[in-house]
Amino acid sequence: MNDISLSLLADGPAVILVEPQLGENIGTAARAMANFGLMDLRIVKPRDGWPSDSARRAASRADHVFDRIRLFQSVEEAVADLGYLVATTARPRDLAKPVRGPASAAPIMRGHIAAGIRPGILFGRERIGLTNEEISLADEIVTLPIDPRFASLNVAQAVLILAYEWRRSGLESEEEGLRFTTRLDSRPASKEEMLGLYEHLERALDAVTFFRPPEKKPSVVATLRAMLQRASFTEQDVRTLRGVVAALENRPTRPRQRADGSLTTSRESED
């Protein structure tokens, strides 16, 4: 990939908001872009003018995106330097253009960037969306699989979805991009450890005559063991659960020091 492509990849596709009505929507769109690594936000004739304090507040410190916002007087000016443009809409259009979902549009935009071509995503007005004339400037239409009974989608929400799919398209798997995963501090329990847990629990249950009538004990034991096995315990889980069973048996604990300095293995609390 050449230097031009790397530069385009760093910014990602341009996001163009056409005549946004509310500063809050501009700010939350900038925040959504920052969440997923998009940098190039362009605004066409914002209704309430510019700059906008409400937009700045809604951006929630996404300054690296917000401070680069560029204003344009027409859609044509805003998209002039783009070589590939998709237009977002939730309504059917009588236009002979390919229609894609966000997940399939994102890798196509990456392919254009690899070829040194700057892509962009066009978003319409909160109330009426994009006009047919504006959509005609686009190469393809992108829409979302939303419920047709309520097709209205906030512009910043739409930006968030497209931005997510953009970032997701650059990862081998969704999990690759996660900030953190659950870290297991304990290895999976061995079969020997699980067998020790089973037998410990069964002895404790025998002591309180849980298995009644006695002839049903084998089937109940098999059910209990199957339940415990499905839990996929770690060795720490097994130790903890055996400690619980021992406490229910009121078995002695490890020696501990009383307030007077003497040692005890009793589970009873000190008054």
Side-chain angles (χ1 to χ4, degrees):
M1 189 174 291
N2 58 37
D3 291 343
I4 294 176
S5 299
L6 290 173
S7 175
L8 295 178
L9 188 61
D11 285 353
V15 171
I16 305 101
L17 306 184
V18 179
E19 297 182 8
Q21 297 175 16
L22 302 174
E24 288 84 355
N25 282 342
I26 299 172
T28 50
R31 181 178 182 179
M33 292 172 62
N35 286 149
F36 296 106
L38 300 183
M39 300 282 289
D40 186 0
L41 177 56
R42 309 175 185 191
I43 306 173
V44 178
K45 296 172 63 175
R47 185 192 66 179
D48 294 339
W50 197 260
S52 168
D53 291 337
S54 61
R56 171 74 72 176
R57 288 193 297 271
S60 187
R61 298 187 300 278
D63 295 333
H64 59 295
V65 175
F66 195 89
D67 291 340
R68 294 181 55 183
I69 290 175
R70 289 182 282 170
L71 267 64
F72 297 86
Q73 291 304 305
S74 69
V75 175
E76 289 80 0
E77 292 176 6
V79 304
D81 65 325
L82 305 179
Y84 174 75
L85 181 66
V86 298
T88 61
T89 181
R91 302 195 307 273
R93 306 286 182 150
D94 294 327
L95 297 170
K97 290 186 181 292
V99 179
R100 298 187 180 278
S104 62
I108 292 175
M109 288 189 285
R110 285 191 180 271
H112 280 83
I113 283 180
I117 299 169
R118 185 183 297 275
I121 311 169
L122 194 62
F123 294 88
R125 304 156 187 83
E126 289 93 327
R127 188 172 62 86
I128 63 171
L130 295 167
T131 67
N132 281 353
E133 290 74 16
E134 290 160 348
I135 293 177
S136 69
L137 298 171
D139 298 283
E140 297 187 336
I141 290 173
V142 169
T143 192
L144 306 176
I146 56 180
D147 191 327
R149 294 172 296 180
F150 192 72
S152 176
L153 189 68
N154 176 274
V155 65
Q157 293 174 325
V159 170
L160 179 71
I161 293 170
L162 269 293
Y164 166 77
E165 291 295 352
W166 162 258
R167 188 162 183 84
R168 170 69 183 85
S169 69
L171 303 172
E172 289 292 330
S173 68
E174 190 173 39
E175 287 71 22
E176 180 188 345
L178 301 182
R179 290 185 60 204
F180 61 89
T181 57
T182 301
R183 182 172 62 88
L184 295 178
D185 293 324
S186 181
R187 59 169 173 76
S190 68
K191 297 304 180 185
E192 181 181 13
E193 289 163 336
M194 289 301 297
L195 183 60
L197 171 61
Y198 301 153
E199 294 173 345
H200 186 179
L201 178 60
E202 289 154 19
R203 287 195 302 271
L205 293 174
D206 260 331
V208 293
T209 62
F210 174 80
F211 300 109
R212 290 179 296 179
E215 58 269 21
K216 289 191 175 182
K217 178 179 177 179
S219 64
V220 175
V221 165
T223 299
L224 286 173
R225 292 190 177 195
M227 289 169 54
L228 293 170
Q229 187 60 49
R230 286 198 299 271
S232 299
F233 287 148
T234 66
E235 53 93 14
Q236 178 59 57
D237 294 333
V238 170
R239 287 203 305 269
T240 300
L241 192 51
R242 292 195 66 170
V244 170
V245 175
L248 293 174
E249 294 176 310
N250 201 28
R251 287 170 52 181
T253 66
R254 293 178 181 178
R256 69 182 190 281
Q257 193 172 43
R258 294 193 180 99
D260 63 5
S262 61
L263 297 178
T264 181
T265 58
S266 172
R267 291 183 177 273
E268 295 180 0
S269 60
E270 299 178 36
D271 295 330

